[in-house]
Amino acid sequence: MVVETVRNALRLVDCDQNAVRLGLTRGLTLADARARIPDLVVVEAEPQADQRLIERLAAFCDRFTPLVALDPPHGLLLDITGCAHLFGGEAALRAVIAERLRAGGLHQRSAIAGTPEAAHALCRFGAGGIVPPGEDEAMIRPLPVAALEVAAETVIALSRAGLKSVADLAERPSMVLSARFGEDLAIRLRRVLGREDVRITPLRPAPACMVERHFAEPLLDMQGLEAVVMRLIAEAARLLEQRGEGGRAFEISLFRTDGAVRRLGIETGRPSRDADAILRLYRERIDTLADPLDPGFGFDAIRLAIPVCEPLNTHQPSLDGRAVEDEAVAELLDRLVTRFGRDRVLRFAARDTHDPRREARAVPVATPASAIAWPMPEPNEPPTRPLQLFEPPQPIETLAEVPDGPPLRFRWRRVLHEIARAEGPERIAPEWWRDGPAEPARDYYRVEDAQGRRFWLFRAGLYERENEMPRWFLHGLFA
């Protein structure tokens, strides 16, 4: 027996078959249960442990179909459309799942029907089994109204009205039931009878492309495992080529015979269907595992899923060889991401701000190009921003003709620079919502000294308006 505190009393929340035969039911207080059966064995309810078990079972069932959803509180929904023939048909698949769960010490009841709600009702309120196509309603009609799983008050009201089975409700007009008992009853009735089909929401989204292998005998050899992965990658590459696409993310799922699932993820910076390159990334991923692959009693299924696909056309190499260089750089980035993780291999992207201190941000290297585009400079114009910025800006000593004008010379790191050319000012106001109202404005100048070196200087504050003697700083160096 499983007990939990409900309404300030310990009550039975789950009963096994032996307890049901002895007359115990859910909701009965523990005191009443012990009065009937003094030597009753009970355990405290652990909802978190139950949830973890259900999630592990969902991962186990992922080997039968990629579309697995939770059916609270203790059930699973599997969409086996197009998958049953891989296991010899619906009856054989149902038998395999039951046998595997029974071997794990679990008792289960299953039903196969045309809609999720119909299968749910037959499994929990009927005898289960397999419903022939088109006969969902005939199998559901004898079930009690509790199979609709509406509010308890609605079930009591239906019973008092003499409507005790689903067949009694199916004969009534939907508008009459909605007016008397609410629209929720009519919706549940249509779905349970199979008149309205609502697809399940799987725990893991269905991949865009998927290939897999099931083995009659568990696979224990790691070299054999790599050979199978190699064939799966080659098969997926052919499918992607037929569709004119490439994968951006690859996931290899290894299903062990004991129910454990190990998943290995691989990402690429751009669409790819190069089998050799993907295999190299797989080997790189294996080498970086902190917990090495353990086949246990062997793998009985291996799946390669490609959740993200993008169009990929065949590119003709350019005569200058740049395409080969770009390909080499892309492969290097993929290997770095695989070895160190996507959050540790970064690139700079533009941020929508006028403050030069915040114009750049670090993003993962796999970020789409549209999200990292930098503003294009004007043609035949020198760059407006330097390649190197100092943080914090370097203080300098200056001499200017007029207080608000550019300096004639400045001293930086004990070296005096005579200014030959200057352009500016470019006044940049502070972001008051970040820096506060006390932050002064900055007047930036692009200057060039007598030796041709170019600097980016600014004066912090406006002369006699924000500061009596504004200070000068060197913020960056142009190439």
Side-chain angles (χ1 to χ4, degrees), residues 99 122 151 161 175 193 201 210 223 236 255 272 345 370-371 388 418 423 425-426 432 450:
E99 180 182 356
L122 287 171
M175 296 181 60
L193 291 175
T201 302
M210 184 183 72
Q223 293 182 353
F255 299 93
S272 174
V345 183
S370 58
Q388 179 182 356
E418 297 287 343
E423 181 181 0
E426 177 189 1
W432 54 266

PDB file of all heavy atoms in Angstrom, residues 99 122 151 161 175 193 201 210 223 236 255 272 345 370-371 388 418 423 425-426 432 450:
ATOM      1  N   GLU A  99       6.473  -7.997 -22.565  1.00  0.00           N
ATOM      2  CA  GLU A  99       7.491  -8.924 -22.080  1.00  0.00           C
ATOM      3  C   GLU A  99       8.674  -8.182 -21.470  1.00  0.00           C
ATOM      4  O   GLU A  99       9.190  -8.570 -20.406  1.00  0.00           O
ATOM      5  CB  GLU A  99       7.957  -9.816 -23.224  1.00  0.00           C
ATOM      6  CG  GLU A  99       9.021 -10.830 -22.822  1.00  0.00           C
ATOM      7  CD  GLU A  99       9.491 -11.665 -23.987  1.00  0.00           C
ATOM      8  OE1 GLU A  99       8.925 -11.510 -25.098  1.00  0.00           O
ATOM      9  OE2 GLU A  99      10.415 -12.468 -23.799  1.00  0.00           O
ATOM     10  N   LEU A 122      -9.784   2.504 -23.070  1.00  0.00           N
ATOM     11  CA  LEU A 122      -9.808   1.041 -23.093  1.00  0.00           C
ATOM     12  C   LEU A 122      -8.776   0.453 -22.140  1.00  0.00           C
ATOM     13  O   LEU A 122      -9.008  -0.609 -21.538  1.00  0.00           O
ATOM     14  CB  LEU A 122      -9.552   0.542 -24.509  1.00  0.00           C
ATOM     15  CG  LEU A 122     -10.694   0.725 -25.507  1.00  0.00           C
ATOM     16  CD1 LEU A 122     -10.229   0.394 -26.907  1.00  0.00           C
ATOM     17  CD2 LEU A 122     -11.874  -0.167 -25.118  1.00  0.00           C
ATOM     18  N   ALA A 151     -15.168  15.774 -14.474  1.00  0.00           N
ATOM     19  CA  ALA A 151     -15.231  16.062 -13.044  1.00  0.00           C
ATOM     20  C   ALA A 151     -16.127  15.063 -12.323  1.00  0.00           C
ATOM     21  O   ALA A 151     -17.107  14.553 -12.885  1.00  0.00           O
ATOM     22  CB  ALA A 151     -15.733  17.488 -12.818  1.00  0.00           C
ATOM     23  N   ALA A 161     -29.014  10.895 -13.535  1.00  0.00           N
ATOM     24  CA  ALA A 161     -29.902  11.051 -14.683  1.00  0.00           C
ATOM     25  C   ALA A 161     -30.104   9.749 -15.441  1.00  0.00           C
ATOM     26  O   ALA A 161     -30.795   9.738 -16.466  1.00  0.00           O
ATOM     27  CB  ALA A 161     -29.343  12.118 -15.620  1.00  0.00           C
ATOM     28  N   MET A 175     -25.382  19.005 -28.488  1.00  0.00           N
ATOM     29  CA  MET A 175     -25.795  20.312 -27.979  1.00  0.00           C
ATOM     30  C   MET A 175     -26.537  20.176 -26.662  1.00  0.00           C
ATOM     31  O   MET A 175     -26.390  21.009 -25.761  1.00  0.00           O
ATOM     32  CB  MET A 175     -26.657  21.034 -29.010  1.00  0.00           C
ATOM     33  CG  MET A 175     -25.927  21.375 -30.306  1.00  0.00           C
ATOM     34  SD  MET A 175     -26.975  22.251 -31.479  1.00  0.00           S
ATOM     35  CE  MET A 175     -27.387  23.705 -30.551  1.00  0.00           C
ATOM     36  N   LEU A 193     -14.724   8.485 -28.324  1.00  0.00           N
ATOM     37  CA  LEU A 193     -15.386   7.662 -29.336  1.00  0.00           C
ATOM     38  C   LEU A 193     -14.626   7.627 -30.659  1.00  0.00           C
ATOM     39  O   LEU A 193     -15.016   6.906 -31.572  1.00  0.00           O
ATOM     40  CB  LEU A 193     -16.806   8.176 -29.581  1.00  0.00           C
ATOM     41  CG  LEU A 193     -17.806   7.979 -28.427  1.00  0.00           C
ATOM     42  CD1 LEU A 193     -19.133   8.640 -28.750  1.00  0.00           C
ATOM     43  CD2 LEU A 193     -18.006   6.492 -28.143  1.00  0.00           C
ATOM     44  N   THR A 201       1.472  15.046 -27.825  1.00  0.00           N
ATOM     45  CA  THR A 201       2.633  15.937 -27.794  1.00  0.00           C
ATOM     46  C   THR A 201       3.811  15.148 -27.238  1.00  0.00           C
ATOM     47  O   THR A 201       3.900  14.924 -26.032  1.00  0.00           O
ATOM     48  CB  THR A 201       2.363  17.163 -26.915  1.00  0.00           C
ATOM     49  OG1 THR A 201       1.209  17.857 -27.411  1.00  0.00           O
ATOM     50  CG2 THR A 201       3.554  18.101 -26.926  1.00  0.00           C
ATOM     51  N   MET A 210      15.566  10.264 -39.909  1.00  0.00           N
ATOM     52  CA  MET A 210      15.928   9.278 -38.900  1.00  0.00           C
ATOM     53  C   MET A 210      16.189   7.933 -39.566  1.00  0.00           C
ATOM     54  O   MET A 210      15.453   7.512 -40.460  1.00  0.00           O
ATOM     55  CB  MET A 210      14.816   9.138 -37.864  1.00  0.00           C
ATOM     56  CG  MET A 210      15.124   8.197 -36.709  1.00  0.00           C
ATOM     57  SD  MET A 210      13.721   8.047 -35.589  1.00  0.00           S
ATOM     58  CE  MET A 210      12.600   7.078 -36.606  1.00  0.00           C
ATOM     59  N   GLN A 223      33.900  -2.025 -31.795  1.00  0.00           N
ATOM     60  CA  GLN A 223      34.253  -1.862 -33.210  1.00  0.00           C
ATOM     61  C   GLN A 223      33.043  -2.135 -34.096  1.00  0.00           C
ATOM     62  O   GLN A 223      32.816  -1.438 -35.087  1.00  0.00           O
ATOM     63  CB  GLN A 223      35.406  -2.790 -33.572  1.00  0.00           C
ATOM     64  CG  GLN A 223      36.717  -2.436 -32.885  1.00  0.00           C
ATOM     65  CD  GLN A 223      37.850  -3.345 -33.304  1.00  0.00           C
ATOM     66  OE1 GLN A 223      37.633  -4.335 -34.014  1.00  0.00           O
ATOM     67  NE2 GLN A 223      39.057  -3.016 -32.876  1.00  0.00           N
ATOM     68  N   ALA A 236      21.916   7.952 -43.922  1.00  0.00           N
ATOM     69  CA  ALA A 236      21.304   9.266 -43.717  1.00  0.00           C
ATOM     70  C   ALA A 236      21.821  10.275 -44.734  1.00  0.00           C
ATOM     71  O   ALA A 236      21.055  11.129 -45.214  1.00  0.00           O
ATOM     72  CB  ALA A 236      21.578   9.749 -42.294  1.00  0.00           C
ATOM     73  N   PHE A 255      20.495   2.172 -27.422  1.00  0.00           N
ATOM     74  CA  PHE A 255      19.522   1.558 -26.523  1.00  0.00           C
ATOM     75  C   PHE A 255      20.092   0.245 -25.993  1.00  0.00           C
ATOM     76  O   PHE A 255      20.343  -0.686 -26.766  1.00  0.00           O
ATOM     77  CB  PHE A 255      18.205   1.308 -27.260  1.00  0.00           C
ATOM     78  CG  PHE A 255      17.562   2.554 -27.787  1.00  0.00           C
ATOM     79  CD1 PHE A 255      17.804   2.976 -29.088  1.00  0.00           C
ATOM     80  CD2 PHE A 255      16.721   3.302 -26.994  1.00  0.00           C
ATOM     81  CE1 PHE A 255      17.207   4.116 -29.591  1.00  0.00           C
ATOM     82  CE2 PHE A 255      16.123   4.458 -27.481  1.00  0.00           C
ATOM     83  CZ  PHE A 255      16.368   4.865 -28.783  1.00  0.00           C
ATOM     84  N   SER A 272      25.444  19.922 -43.442  1.00  0.00           N
ATOM     85  CA  SER A 272      26.446  18.968 -43.909  1.00  0.00           C
ATOM     86  C   SER A 272      25.802  17.610 -44.131  1.00  0.00           C
ATOM     87  O   SER A 272      24.898  17.216 -43.382  1.00  0.00           O
ATOM     88  CB  SER A 272      27.587  18.839 -42.890  1.00  0.00           C
ATOM     89  OG  SER A 272      28.489  17.816 -43.256  1.00  0.00           O
ATOM     90  N   VAL A 345      33.017  27.738 -27.564  1.00  0.00           N
ATOM     91  CA  VAL A 345      33.593  28.190 -28.834  1.00  0.00           C
ATOM     92  C   VAL A 345      32.703  29.337 -29.312  1.00  0.00           C
ATOM     93  O   VAL A 345      31.569  29.116 -29.737  1.00  0.00           O
ATOM     94  CB  VAL A 345      33.663  27.064 -29.875  1.00  0.00           C
ATOM     95  CG1 VAL A 345      34.340  27.545 -31.144  1.00  0.00           C
ATOM     96  CG2 VAL A 345      34.403  25.865 -29.299  1.00  0.00           C
ATOM     97  N   SER A 370      22.544  35.268 -39.971  1.00  0.00           N
ATOM     98  CA  SER A 370      21.610  36.402 -39.945  1.00  0.00           C
ATOM     99  C   SER A 370      21.574  37.083 -38.583  1.00  0.00           C
ATOM    100  O   SER A 370      21.203  38.247 -38.481  1.00  0.00           O
ATOM    101  CB  SER A 370      20.211  35.926 -40.325  1.00  0.00           C
ATOM    102  OG  SER A 370      19.771  34.911 -39.434  1.00  0.00           O
ATOM    103  N   ALA A 371      21.971  36.351 -37.526  1.00  0.00           N
ATOM    104  CA  ALA A 371      21.917  36.912 -36.179  1.00  0.00           C
ATOM    105  C   ALA A 371      23.216  37.585 -35.763  1.00  0.00           C
ATOM    106  O   ALA A 371      23.277  38.157 -34.672  1.00  0.00           O
ATOM    107  CB  ALA A 371      21.561  35.817 -35.173  1.00  0.00           C
ATOM    108  N   GLN A 388      40.873  47.302 -32.560  1.00  0.00           N
ATOM    109  CA  GLN A 388      41.288  47.028 -31.189  1.00  0.00           C
ATOM    110  C   GLN A 388      40.781  48.119 -30.268  1.00  0.00           C
ATOM    111  O   GLN A 388      41.022  49.299 -30.498  1.00  0.00           O
ATOM    112  CB  GLN A 388      42.816  46.931 -31.093  1.00  0.00           C
ATOM    113  CG  GLN A 388      43.319  46.675 -29.680  1.00  0.00           C
ATOM    114  CD  GLN A 388      44.834  46.630 -29.601  1.00  0.00           C
ATOM    115  OE1 GLN A 388      45.512  46.724 -30.619  1.00  0.00           O
ATOM    116  NE2 GLN A 388      45.365  46.490 -28.395  1.00  0.00           N
ATOM    117  N   GLU A 418      52.619  63.669 -32.622  1.00  0.00           N
ATOM    118  CA  GLU A 418      52.165  64.878 -33.297  1.00  0.00           C
ATOM    119  C   GLU A 418      51.044  64.517 -34.269  1.00  0.00           C
ATOM    120  O   GLU A 418      51.203  63.624 -35.111  1.00  0.00           O
ATOM    121  CB  GLU A 418      53.324  65.520 -34.062  1.00  0.00           C
ATOM    122  CG  GLU A 418      54.461  65.989 -33.183  1.00  0.00           C
ATOM    123  CD  GLU A 418      54.083  67.238 -32.403  1.00  0.00           C
ATOM    124  OE1 GLU A 418      53.094  67.900 -32.787  1.00  0.00           O
ATOM    125  OE2 GLU A 418      54.762  67.546 -31.406  1.00  0.00           O
ATOM    126  N   GLU A 423      39.693  63.940 -37.598  1.00  0.00           N
ATOM    127  CA  GLU A 423      38.316  63.936 -38.118  1.00  0.00           C
ATOM    128  C   GLU A 423      37.378  63.778 -36.936  1.00  0.00           C
ATOM    129  O   GLU A 423      37.513  62.859 -36.116  1.00  0.00           O
ATOM    130  CB  GLU A 423      38.126  62.799 -39.119  1.00  0.00           C
ATOM    131  CG  GLU A 423      36.734  62.754 -39.722  1.00  0.00           C
ATOM    132  CD  GLU A 423      36.560  61.599 -40.694  1.00  0.00           C
ATOM    133  OE1 GLU A 423      37.537  60.850 -40.888  1.00  0.00           O
ATOM    134  OE2 GLU A 423      35.455  61.457 -41.249  1.00  0.00           O
ATOM    135  N   PRO A 425      34.162  66.140 -34.355  1.00  0.00           N
ATOM    136  CA  PRO A 425      33.886  65.076 -33.380  1.00  0.00           C
ATOM    137  C   PRO A 425      32.635  64.249 -33.730  1.00  0.00           C
ATOM    138  O   PRO A 425      31.758  64.718 -34.447  1.00  0.00           O
ATOM    139  CB  PRO A 425      33.640  65.855 -32.104  1.00  0.00           C
ATOM    140  CG  PRO A 425      33.003  67.135 -32.583  1.00  0.00           C
ATOM    141  CD  PRO A 425      33.663  67.450 -33.903  1.00  0.00           C
ATOM    142  N   GLU A 426      32.596  63.043 -33.198  1.00  0.00           N
ATOM    143  CA  GLU A 426      31.403  62.186 -33.217  1.00  0.00           C
ATOM    144  C   GLU A 426      30.924  62.080 -31.774  1.00  0.00           C
ATOM    145  O   GLU A 426      31.536  61.409 -30.954  1.00  0.00           O
ATOM    146  CB  GLU A 426      31.724  60.799 -33.774  1.00  0.00           C
ATOM    147  CG  GLU A 426      30.531  59.853 -33.753  1.00  0.00           C
ATOM    148  CD  GLU A 426      30.917  58.432 -34.107  1.00  0.00           C
ATOM    149  OE1 GLU A 426      32.111  58.178 -34.351  1.00  0.00           O
ATOM    150  OE2 GLU A 426      30.022  57.570 -34.105  1.00  0.00           O
ATOM    151  N   TRP A 432      21.619  56.241 -20.606  1.00  0.00           N
ATOM    152  CA  TRP A 432      21.296  56.633 -19.242  1.00  0.00           C
ATOM    153  C   TRP A 432      20.578  55.519 -18.481  1.00  0.00           C
ATOM    154  O   TRP A 432      20.658  55.452 -17.245  1.00  0.00           O
ATOM    155  CB  TRP A 432      20.423  57.900 -19.257  1.00  0.00           C
ATOM    156  CG  TRP A 432      19.185  57.779 -20.094  1.00  0.00           C
ATOM    157  CD1 TRP A 432      19.033  58.144 -21.385  1.00  0.00           C
ATOM    158  CD2 TRP A 432      17.934  57.226 -19.680  1.00  0.00           C
ATOM    159  NE1 TRP A 432      17.770  57.863 -21.834  1.00  0.00           N
ATOM    160  CE2 TRP A 432      17.066  57.293 -20.797  1.00  0.00           C
ATOM    161  CE3 TRP A 432      17.448  56.683 -18.499  1.00  0.00           C
ATOM    162  CZ2 TRP A 432      15.760  56.831 -20.756  1.00  0.00           C
ATOM    163  CZ3 TRP A 432      16.141  56.219 -18.446  1.00  0.00           C
ATOM    164  CH2 TRP A 432      15.317  56.310 -19.571  1.00  0.00           C
ATOM    165  N   ALA A 450      52.114  61.866 -37.325  1.00  0.00           N
ATOM    166  CA  ALA A 450      53.046  62.138 -38.423  1.00  0.00           C
ATOM    167  C   ALA A 450      53.625  60.861 -39.018  1.00  0.00           C
ATOM    168  O   ALA A 450      54.057  60.852 -40.175  1.00  0.00           O
ATOM    169  CB  ALA A 450      54.171  63.049 -37.913  1.00  0.00           C
TER     170      ALA A 450
END
